[in-house]
Amino acid sequence: MVVAPRVLVLPYPAQGHVIPMMELSHRLVEHGVKVTFVNTELNHGVILGALATSDSELAGIDMVSVPDGLGHGEDRKDLARLTDSFSKVMPLELEKLVGKINGDAPERHGRISWFIADVNMAWAFHVAKRLGLRAAGFCPSSAAMFATRIKIPEMISDGVLDESGWPRWRGTFRLAPAMPTVDTSEFSWNRAGDAKGQPVIFNLILRNNAATHLAEAIVCNSVHELEPGAFALFPSVLPVGPLSSCSDKPAGSFWPEDTSCAAWLDAQPASSVVYVAFGSLAAYDAAQLVEMAEGLALTSRPFLWVVRPGSATEELVDELRRRAAASRGRVVCWCPQRRVLAHPSVGCFLTHCGWNSTMEAVANGVPLLCWPYFTDQFLNQSYICDVWSTGIKVPRGGDGEGAGLVGREVVRGKVEELLGDAERRRGRSRCRTSPGGPSARKGRRAGTWNGSWTS
Ligand code: UDP
């Protein structure tokens, strides 16, 4: 009997890494590859919990878990602390896990022969080599982000960075033509939360860089046409994106998806809805959320706003819901974003510019209003606004994470500017190509999914 190959897939333990690696895993399963997907124990529990299942096989993917070394209830949103902890315990745990799977009747369920690890978990390549397994890397960010990290030693020798990863001067530059502008005050490793945690993040990146050569291949959730400059710098990195689909297969969400917004979207006019979501980690204070709510109300446009569980107090969420309901809006805890962005009623996306959100919007031709929060989101904003011209920036003052309160009038003005511009462009292209009326944007599905969004 020929047993299909089995790969072990290992994401960095954060939502924006789990989702694209789950999508990659679904594609591998479709091609007859068996997948063992490794989450931290906490993430494993929340993913199954969000799906209300105890079955650890999801659409043919074996979901397994290892500890991250943090105690019950400790804050995993502190990325430096999380990284410091799992870096110490996970290599050994992974080795034990593979030993167990490969020792336990491999002739029946297939022996793990490959690791596909997030390039942010490149220490796992050492584990693969120790176990005599093959290794490939998955880059969940842009190829430009990958390039920026790999170029750290060059940037140190060129005097852009000091040995600790901090900029030696303030300004902007590009690594190559057709690449986004890098602002030296916005290197992802210096914008990943509390500055105290920067050494942990920066050292993880240096260790990951050093281990990258152990991977036989690196694939990236991106598209050559979007990033020709970055892929030219690293021709061996293979674009496999956009890993975004509207299938019914589990996405790996950490929160239950509110599918009731499908019917609400179906009831809105084409290209009218402002979709608002800031991914899984970005957080704004109460004053900012109220300004956002007021600004959205002032647009008089319908809006669908994801306010993640835990990102605001219950009283504030109730208040935002009330204000939204009074002004053609709707607040949800978490939604099937990829389907929302594919819906013809969505006109624009107010976003934190996470790479997944960016790719999902670009794949559906949705214009973006950019409000980056941290890590690589500033680089993604530069792609959107300066290179691709598919969005505009929300102007902000001040320094630091989420700094500078953005007033309601600014929110209103920028939504109007973006939607007005998109309407003018559609009008022009309608005159040229489609006198028949408002069609779905190029690449977007026509029609609706009323009743078909069951999770
Ligand atoms: N997402 C979702 N439902 C929501 C909000 C977000 O499914 O209500 C998904 C979104 O489609 C994307 C991921 O969560 O795939 C967020 O990843 P991204 O890189 O945009 O941001 P991060 O969470 O890493 O900051």
Side-chain angles (χ1 to χ4, degrees), residues 353-407:
C353 306
W355 184 246
N356 295 296
S357 295
T358 302
M359 289 297 284
E360 291 158 12
V362 168
N364 286 293
V366 177
L368 296 145
L369 186 49
C370 301
W371 195 320
Y373 178 73
F374 72 172
T375 59
D376 61 339
Q377 294 154 15
F378 301 93
L379 195 64
N380 301 339
Q381 170 180 254
S382 176
Y383 256 144
I384 294 164
C385 301
D386 309 331
V387 182
W388 307 328
S389 302
T390 55
I392 57 174
K393 297 176 189 176
V394 173
R396 285 181 300 160
D399 279 325
E401 259 78 73
L405 186 76
V406 177

Side-chain angles (χ1 to χ4, degrees), residues 314-326:
E314 271 177 39
E315 297 78 55
L316 180 56
V317 175
D318 286 344
E319 174 64 20
L320 297 175
R321 270 188 215 285
R322 263 196 306 279
R323 286 176 193 238

Side-chain angles (χ1 to χ4, degrees), residues 333-349:
C333 292
W334 192 254
C335 72
Q337 176 168 300
R338 295 179 294 180
R339 295 186 196 192
V340 167
L341 286 170
H343 197 285
S345 73
V346 171
C348 72
F349 182 12

